[in-house]
Amino acid sequence: CMGLLNVHLEEVAFSTIRTYNLQHATLQEFLSAEELKCLPEEKQVRFWSDNMDNPSVAMAFRFYCGLTGLKSKAVQKAVFSGPLPNEIDLSDQSLLFLFHSLFESQNIPFTEQVVQRLQPTLDIYASLSPFDWMALSHCLSKCSHLQEIFALPSMIPINYIVKICQNNPFLVKLVFGFNDFSINDAKRFVQSIQSLEMLGLTVEATSLSA
């Protein structure tokens, strides 16, 4: 157990005070989520209502979603009842955080309920990781009204777009944004057209530097 802890010694008067913290923050966040899920429901609601804008509890909330499956109607209402943004960018990734949380919960009925409130156009101005796209496609495949997606092309896995398209019959356009249209970008764009046009999508390119 001591291998997981940092021990801090402080000499006070004629005694030594020992304090401890976990060496890895993720362990502390997991244990915090485990503790929170054991609280009475009203205390869970109060904590998340007061702290959802605090980035230091973001990972703990994702663990909490996985541990509880977001089964509490009161927590659902407290955390997910507000309006949803229609874009993901470097300065505001709250929508991506929502996708992560819903993905961790694996609560399909509630995910379907939340994502139906999304606007029909989604703009993604940040380069997403493969895990980001996995969480995003998990959520977007549970809605049926998307019409257009704008995304940076560098990290967009075609198989996740296919998954999103399967449940979104009105999704007709995918727009790629390029800072500069290099040869590698052009090759990637052409490859994407060949894969995505078979799905009935119109694929366009636009310059972000214009």
Side-chain angles (χ1 to χ4, degrees):
C1 179
M2 296 302 291
L4 299 176
L5 296 174
N6 288 321
V7 183
H8 306 277
L9 304 179
E10 182 181 1
E11 300 293 336
V12 178
F14 299 104
S15 63
T16 300
I17 297 176
R18 290 179 174 84
T19 58
Y20 305 88
N21 71 285
L22 292 167
Q23 290 186 0
H24 201 298
T26 303
L27 290 172
Q28 189 163 328
E29 289 159 341
F30 175 81
L31 294 176
S32 297
E34 182 71 36
E35 178 71 16
L36 282 162
K37 81 178 181 66
C38 296
L39 294 176
E41 186 177 47
E42 63 272 16
K43 290 189 176 181
Q44 296 181 41
V45 171
R46 189 181 312 119
F47 178 85
W48 293 122
S49 298
D50 293 343
N51 288 280
M52 284 309 297
D53 292 332
N54 182 352
S56 66
V57 303
M59 183 58 72
F61 183 70
R62 286 172 57 182
F63 280 128
Y64 172 87
C65 292
L67 290 168
T68 65
L70 279 176
K71 299 263 176 37
S72 168
K73 300 293 185 183
V75 173
Q76 291 177 8
K77 182 177 180 181
V79 176
F80 293 93
S81 60
L84 302 181
N86 72 324
E87 66 178 42
I88 300 170
D89 59 39
L90 294 177
S91 63
D92 183 3
Q93 299 200 10
S94 57
L95 184 59
L96 182 60
F97 172 69
L98 179 143
F99 290 150
H100 283 168
S101 302
L102 293 173
F103 174 73
E104 297 290 356
S105 78
Q106 292 296 302
N107 186 331
I108 303 302
F110 181 60
T111 299
E112 292 173 344
Q113 177 184 331
V114 172
V115 298
Q116 291 301 332
R117 292 160 40 211
L118 289 168
Q119 297 184 37
T121 300
L122 177 63
D123 296 330
I124 304 170
Y125 293 102
S127 292
L128 306 184
S129 70
F131 177 80
D132 293 334
W133 273 107
M134 181 168 62
L136 184 145
S137 66
H138 169 81
C139 295
L140 296 185
S141 66
K142 306 299 183 292
C143 68
S144 57
H145 64 285
L146 284 180
Q147 298 177 14
E148 181 176 328
I149 296 175
F150 171 91
L152 301 180
S154 58
M155 294 292 291
I156 185 167
I158 300 303
N159 59 312
Y160 291 143
I161 292 295
V162 171
K163 184 176 180 181
I164 294 169
C165 288
Q166 289 173 342
N167 280 0
N168 284 275
F170 302 109
L171 182 60
V172 295
K173 184 185 287 187
L174 179 66
V175 181
F176 284 156
F178 296 90
N179 286 311
D180 53 354
F181 215 135
S182 67
I183 293 177
N184 288 335
D185 288 336
K187 288 180 179 178
R188 188 185 303 115
F189 181 64
V190 170
Q191 291 169 354
S192 298
I193 288 178
Q194 293 171 345
S195 301
L196 295 173
E197 285 188 338
M198 292 187 295
L199 301 173
L201 287 176
T202 297
V203 184
E204 298 180 359
T206 186
S207 173
L208 299 179
S209 57

